[in-house]
Structure formats: C-alpha cells, structure tokens
Amino acid sequence: MVACIIALVGCGGSGDGDGSLGGGRFGASTEPALETDLAALDTALLCTPFTHPDKPPVLLVHGTFTAGYEQYQWNYLPLLAARGFDVCAVTYPDRGLGDQQISAEYVVHALRSMHAATGRKVAMIGHSQGATMPRWALKWWPSARDAVADFVLIAGPNHGTLIADPTGQGVQNPLGMPAAFYQFSAGSNFITALNAGDETPGDIDYTNLYTLTDELVQPVLPVPTAALDWGQNNPRVANILMQDVCPLNVVDHVTIGTTDRIAFELAVDAISNPGPADVARAGGMALCLNPLPLIADPALASDSVNILLDILQRDAEAGLPDLHLTTEEPPLKPYAL
C-alpha cells in the first residue's frame, strides 16, 4: 500500500500526459480561476490505483495541524482500500494554517481530477477544517460540486466555534495568529459567506457526524454548530450525534476523525448507499459492541512499520510550515463578495 501511493499518476489511472490527472483542462469561465500553481495542486494529491469501477472513489480531507498522508495513511486510507474503494488523500498547504479560501482550491482540483480520471462521482470524507473548508469549494465551483455524490463531514465547525471567539465580540489579536483561526469564528466573514443561502448545494448527500465531548467544535447543544440544514428535515442531510448512536461513546475532536470505529462505519455506510448515512442500516446498536479503535484493525498490522516510515519521510521532506501570521481575517475573495 505505501509503495502504491507515492505518486499521483504513477499508481493512479488515466492521466492527460501532463502529470495532472486532467486537472489542467478544467474551469469554466463562470468559475473563479484557481490562484494556485497547477504543479502544486497535482503533487498535493496521493491516490491508490483506480481499479474499482463498482464504487465511488473516495477523497479524504485532513484537519488543521496535520497533512493528508499523516492523518489518513494509517487508518482510513488502507481500511477503505481493503473494502474495495479507490482512495485519494489531499494535503493542503502549511497544515491548514493559511487562508481557507486558498486551501479550498486544493479540494477543487482534487475533485475535478478524480472525477476526470475515473468517470465517476467522488465520495468525500473530511475531518475538522477538512469538513468545513471543502464546503467553500462546493459553494463557489460548480465543477467541483458536480463531481461529488456524497460528503461525510466529521466534527466540522460549519457555523464556527465558540473556541475561536469566546466573547462573541470578534477575534482580535494584535500579536498575530494563523489566518485560518480567524475564519473559525462564528462571526467571521468566511463563515458568514459560507452559510449564506443554500448550506447544502448540489446533488449531494451530506452526513454530519459530531460529538458532545468535542473540546474544539462548540456549541453542540441546543443547536449544534456542526449541523447543516438544522430542523429542515432535508432527506439528503443526516446530522448524527455520536452519543445518540452509542450513549457511552466518549469520543473527542481528534479521535472521532482518526480512530473511532463508529464514525468510520457510519462514513462507509454513507458512501456505500443512496442517501446520507443511516444508523440502522449501518448496524444500529451493534455498532456499540465493537470497542476496538481503527488502529487495532488487523488489516493494518502487516504494513504498519512501512506506513510509519513513509509518514516520517514525508514530514521531513515537507519541513516546517508557514504560520501565516496576521492580525486580521483574510479578506474575502472577489467572487464571494
């Protein structure tokens, strides 16, 4: 598995001959132009071979402070591949500390490329910023939106989080902090623009997984900030509180998107069936009877050392991230005004 995800196209499938899986030819004049260099977008995507036409290819989008290979190469990627899915993981810049509007361009390119290479719509699974930020891609780029069939959002601060702005008076930091942090505030221009109008655009099934014991994405009650189309009874949206599935499941912000078995099985149910995740269809209360975290899955044992070594090598090659320190929220792009 490790050797097979080193290159974007070498292990992937049909490319264009320019090393871009077709990404360079996308973008109608009605869509915002991508500011990011095509070569950077291409190298940010790691894929298993596209050899399973019976299932949607899966795009994994990581959270803040990590990278795609770092978050998913030891859990979701090999486990989904073992279940017969073609899987890609995208890494957006600097561990998600920069402007999320730029990070979203990496998701746009990944979705376009995977759709072009496979001829199939993509199932996307994202955690934390990797759940919320891709919504920016879906909102402003129709080509990305049209490439997606399912989107599973895990612990995403879709309407901001109190942690980013506990006083509700706006985020102010004269010493500077990473650009993305301002955009997590419920009152940020980014969150306001993201949720203006349709929260769930496109012909997409949306599944939101969130937990009472999330220390970062708050509030959960009475209206969860992670939810989409709350109270609208949208049949294409499922907002699932983990403790409603298994009351004794104490899962925090990190583990819900990395090691929690129940969240993983609900995500698999969502991308394997029409509509969003369905708890009963996924196993119901039987989900609570398997306490082993994903890291204990026997499917990971044979390659765990090689996976760890590959992650360490990639971290060394990546070097230290740019902190993107700023004293105010990045301005909205012209297309979002």
Side-chain angles (χ1 to χ4, degrees):
M1 177 63 67
V2 172
C4 206
I5 62 171
I6 290 177
L8 169 64
V9 178
C11 272
S14 58
D16 281 338
D18 63 357
S20 67
L21 281 183
R25 297 201 307 238
F26 290 94
S29 59
T30 56
E31 293 191 321
L34 300 183
E35 299 179 18
T36 307
D37 179 73
L38 178 61
L41 296 172
D42 277 342
T43 57
L45 189 62
L46 296 173
C47 298
T48 63
F50 295 134
T51 56
H52 298 88
D54 58 319
K55 294 182 179 180
V58 181
L59 176 64
L60 301 173
V61 190
H62 65 89
T64 315
F65 298 119
T66 185
Y69 60 87
E70 200 173 78
Q71 177 161 351
Y72 292 120
Q73 198 168 331
W74 55 277
N75 48 30
Y76 272 60
L77 195 154
L79 291 178
L80 287 170
R83 297 200 186 192
F85 289 94
D86 301 331
V87 192
C88 296
V90 65
T91 294
Y92 48 97
D94 298 313
R95 297 183 173 270
L97 300 178
D99 184 352
Q100 294 186 56
Q101 296 172 100
I102 296 299
S103 297
E105 294 188 5
Y106 287 75
V107 176
V108 171
H109 182 73
L111 291 172
R112 290 171 171 176
S113 299
M114 292 172 66
H115 185 44
T118 65
R120 291 172 275 148
K121 285 200 170 187
V122 178
M124 184 161 53
I125 301 174
H127 171 238
S128 191
Q129 182 182 161
T132 301
M133 174 271 292
R135 292 182 54 221
W136 192 264
L138 299 181
K139 183 177 183 70
W140 301 109
W141 279 271
S143 61
R145 187 164 62 242
D146 293 343
V148 178
D150 286 274
F151 186 14
V152 180
L153 304 91
I154 304 175
N158 285 306
H159 295 90
T161 173
L162 290 174
I163 303 301
D165 183 16
T167 67
Q169 302 300 311
V171 181
Q172 298 179 355
N173 190 329
L175 299 179
M177 65 181 183
F181 290 11
Y182 294 92
Q183 295 167 321
F184 289 132
S185 167
S188 71
N189 294 326
F190 179 83
I191 289 293
T192 300
L194 179 65
N195 292 309
D198 189 358
E199 291 187 356
T200 55
D203 189 20
I204 299 170
D205 295 321
Y206 291 82
T207 298
N208 278 287
L209 307 179
Y210 61 102
T211 173
L212 282 172
T213 46
D214 191 321
E215 70 280 15
L216 297 181
V217 180
Q218 292 289 337
V220 177
L221 299 173
V223 177
T225 191
L228 296 175
D229 288 354
W230 182 254
Q232 296 184 28
N233 297 317
N234 185 341
R236 304 207 69 164
V237 178
N239 294 302
I240 301 175
L241 178 65
M242 301 305 291
Q243 285 73 28
D244 284 344
V245 181
C246 299
L248 299 181
N249 184 27
V250 179
V251 58
D252 67 3
H253 183 74
V254 173
T255 56
I256 189 177
T258 54
T259 63
D260 187 66
R261 169 69 63 176
I262 300 166
F264 176 77
E265 295 298 342
L266 289 170
V268 171
D269 177 79
I271 66 176
S272 301
N273 298 284
D278 182 278
V279 174
R281 184 179 60 201
M285 288 299 295
L287 292 171
C288 310
L289 302 179
N290 184 358
L292 290 177
L294 294 183
I295 193 64
D297 196 296
L300 301 177
S302 62
D303 212 20
S304 58
V305 173
N306 288 333
I307 289 173
L308 176 59
L309 291 175
D310 189 66
I311 290 173
L312 292 174
Q313 179 181 343
R314 291 182 185 279
D315 281 342
E317 293 171 351
L320 296 175
D322 183 338
L323 298 181
H324 295 271
L325 297 179
T326 178
T327 58
E328 60 184 1
E329 180 183 352
L332 289 178
K333 298 297 183 182
Y335 59 78
L337 295 175

